[in-house]
Amino acid sequence: MKLAIVHDWFVSVGGAEKVLAKMLDIYPEADVFSVVDFFDDDTRQKLIKGKLSNTTFIQRFPFAKKMYRSYLPFMPLAVEQLDLSSYDLVISSSHAVAKGVITSPNQLHICYCHSPIRYAWDLQEQYLRESGLQSGLKSLLARIMLFKIRGWDYRTSNGVDFFISNSDYIGKRIWKIYRRKSHTIYPNVAVDEFDLISKKDDFYFTASRLVPYKKIDLIVRAFSNMPDKKLVVIGDGPQLEKVKAAASPNVTIMGYQSFDILKDYMQRARAFVFAAEEDFGIIPVEAQACGTPVIAFGKGGTLETVLNGKTGVFFEEQTENSIINAVMEFENNFVFEPSFIRQHAEKFSADIFKEKFREFVQAKYSEFELGKGRYHE
């Protein structure tokens, strides 16, 4: 079996890249393809086993390392130029365009879908708002571009033989947008890198890249209205100054910190606070790996990773009052067992991901080789 793995792009390290790294643990012989690849040597060795990925013509565009997202209109054409004709099995790791590669009826294409293109579908208005493109000529051009991307994205979903979703929540989006069934395999979380600490200190904790949809400023404002409760925030990003401006003396903004420092605070925190609507949400699982309960917005992937009343507490709205009420409920009505919280987090380990992913791919490829009827779902 000759295997190709296609990823959207290699620029920074996030959850999708960590999933791809585990795919390569399973299939170290696979060739790697992407729209662009700007990993440094250390990152390349750590995540993709030192492999040089086969890239598209966008790799040679001016300022592509910083402006690669601006070249989205060219990406459908670019990814379709990747020559995968010599491979038996193609696995795409896609949250944008990777699933759009061209394959033949003699090839099996399995897509691990982190999400359909968020900013082209149901998050279009949020994307335009945050980019300052709500009106005017630039807004019109952006809307036309996204309209064309949607048509291409839907059409190329038919070239995928089987979809794997990273959560049931994303499975619903796949069905809504593509009208395709999917099989959920949760992404790998490095639970072994976190230690169970049963004794907690008297502070709350949150960590994230400081971008609008993470709602860190909302968490800070909520705790600024609870001056008797301490909050520690780790993270950097374009909203850093906005977050600092919302902070009262009981809120400590630490900015970017090393993993060791982040882990130390996460392990000792009374609870981890999470206000984003995520597709899956790795960091709440990391917190639970420390035996730390989670106070989370009850929508999206956290509904699948946090057990309400057992490993955390949900709040229903992304508002200050809703967070405040959840903190009060957390303190007054629940007693959490750190060892149980840790055991729950272990269900999302890298070993379980690799086992389930290998089994799914092997089963579908065996069916495909035997030519057993209709293999396309």
Side-chain angles (χ1 to χ4, degrees):
M1 180 178 67
K2 193 174 180 184
L3 170 62
I5 297 179
V6 188
H7 192 64
D8 291 304
W9 46 70
F10 296 118
V11 179
S12 58
V13 180
E17 287 70 36
K18 292 176 182 178
V19 168
L20 182 97
K22 296 307 172 186
M23 291 181 185
L24 286 170
D25 283 349
I26 304 170
Y27 304 110
E29 75 284 1
D31 293 328
V32 178
F33 294 77
S34 63
V35 173
V36 296
D37 182 351
F38 292 107
F39 273 174
D40 58 44
D41 291 341
D42 289 343
T43 305
R44 183 183 312 284
Q45 188 62 45
K46 181 179 179 181
L47 281 181
I48 55 177
K49 301 188 179 300
K51 294 175 181 284
L52 287 173
S53 59
N54 301 275
T55 57
T56 70
F57 57 77
I58 294 177
Q59 181 82 17
R60 300 184 294 276
F61 277 14
F63 310 108
K65 185 175 182 178
K66 291 185 177 180
M67 295 180 57
Y68 66 98
R69 292 182 186 274
S70 299
Y71 294 130
L72 178 64
F74 298 97
M75 288 187 186
L77 173 63
V79 79
E80 289 183 353
Q81 307 314 304
L82 293 172
D83 183 6
L84 304 175
S85 58
S86 64
Y87 295 92
D88 304 302
L89 171 63
V90 174
I91 297 174
S92 57
S93 165
S94 184
H95 59 78
V97 298
K99 73 159 184 47
V101 292
I102 295 175
T103 55
S104 78
N106 298 317
Q107 297 171 290
L108 181 65
H109 179 184
I110 296 174
C111 174
Y112 188 91
C113 186
H114 305 279
S115 176
I117 307 177
R118 301 174 184 89
Y119 38 85
W121 292 98
D122 50 310
L123 298 184
Q124 173 184 274
E125 293 306 318
Q126 177 181 322
Y127 162 75
L128 293 172
R129 183 172 58 255
E130 293 174 358
S131 303
L133 294 172
Q134 290 176 279
S135 61
L137 180 59
K138 288 185 178 180
S139 174
L140 176 61
L141 294 175
R143 291 174 189 275
I144 291 172
M145 182 269 290
L146 292 173
F147 170 76
K148 291 183 177 181
I149 288 287
R150 281 194 294 275
W152 175 84
D153 189 42
Y154 177 78
R155 175 179 62 79
T156 56
S157 68
N158 292 305
V160 176
D161 297 306
F162 296 97
F163 276 100
I164 301 173
S165 56
N166 73 353
S167 64
D168 291 343
Y169 177 67
I170 288 301
K172 292 177 182 177
R173 296 189 77 226
I174 290 170
W175 176 255
K176 179 72 174 181
I177 293 169
Y178 303 144
R179 277 299 187 261
R180 294 289 306 280
K181 295 179 182 178
S182 62
H183 176 79
T184 294
I185 299 177
Y186 293 117
N188 48 284
V189 180
V191 295
D192 292 339
E193 295 182 9
F194 297 86
D195 300 318
L196 170 63
I197 302 294
S198 296
K199 185 178 179 181
K200 303 299 181 180
D201 292 344
D202 190 24
F203 69 89
Y204 292 86
F205 179 62
T206 191
S208 171
R209 178 160 169 75
L210 305 184
V211 293
Y213 87 95
K214 295 290 189 179
K215 304 292 184 183
I216 300 300
D217 59 321
L218 174 66
I219 297 172
V220 169
R221 290 198 304 271
F223 275 84
S224 294
N225 288 318
M226 295 184 287
D228 59 325
K229 304 185 192 307
K230 298 178 182 178
L231 173 71
V232 175
V233 180
I234 287 180
D236 197 3
Q239 285 207 315
L240 178 59
E241 295 306 317
K242 182 177 181 180
V243 169
K244 286 182 176 179
S248 57
N250 61 310
V251 177
T252 302
I253 310 296
M254 298 183 63
Y256 172 81
Q257 299 293 326
S258 68
F259 173 73
D260 287 341
I261 292 176
L262 183 148
K263 181 172 72 170
D264 176 61
Y265 277 92
M266 188 176 287
Q267 290 172 166
R268 293 187 294 111
R270 185 173 186 178
F272 182 82
V273 187
F274 188 75
E277 181 182 343
E278 286 279 19
D279 303 330
F280 173 74
I282 288 177
I283 198 163
V285 180
E286 293 175 338
Q288 291 172 89
C290 305
T292 302
V294 177
I295 300 173
F297 179 46
K299 194 172 182 181
T302 52
L303 289 174
E304 300 169 56
T305 60
V306 178
L307 302 178
N308 195 29
K310 295 180 179 180
T311 69
V313 172
F314 291 130
F315 54 92
E316 296 182 356
E317 298 177 344
Q318 289 173 315
T319 64
E320 295 170 33
N321 285 338
S322 192
I323 294 175
I324 292 169
N325 290 337
V327 171
M328 296 298 104
E329 181 182 8
F330 170 81
E331 292 190 354
N332 295 330
N333 297 329
F334 294 99
V335 176
F336 292 91
E337 175 50 55
S339 60
F340 175 81
I341 297 174
R342 167 74 184 197
Q343 290 172 8
H344 174 67
E346 289 172 349
K347 297 177 182 178
F348 303 94
S349 71
D351 287 343
I352 289 177
F353 168 81
K354 289 194 290 185
E355 177 185 353
K356 291 186 175 181
F357 189 83
R358 182 190 293 111
E359 288 177 353
F360 182 88
V361 171
Q362 186 58 52
K364 297 307 180 185
Y365 189 74
S366 296
E367 292 174 10
F368 174 73
E369 274 196 313
L370 293 172
K372 288 185 177 179
R374 181 175 178 269
Y375 63 86
H376 183 89
E377 283 184 352

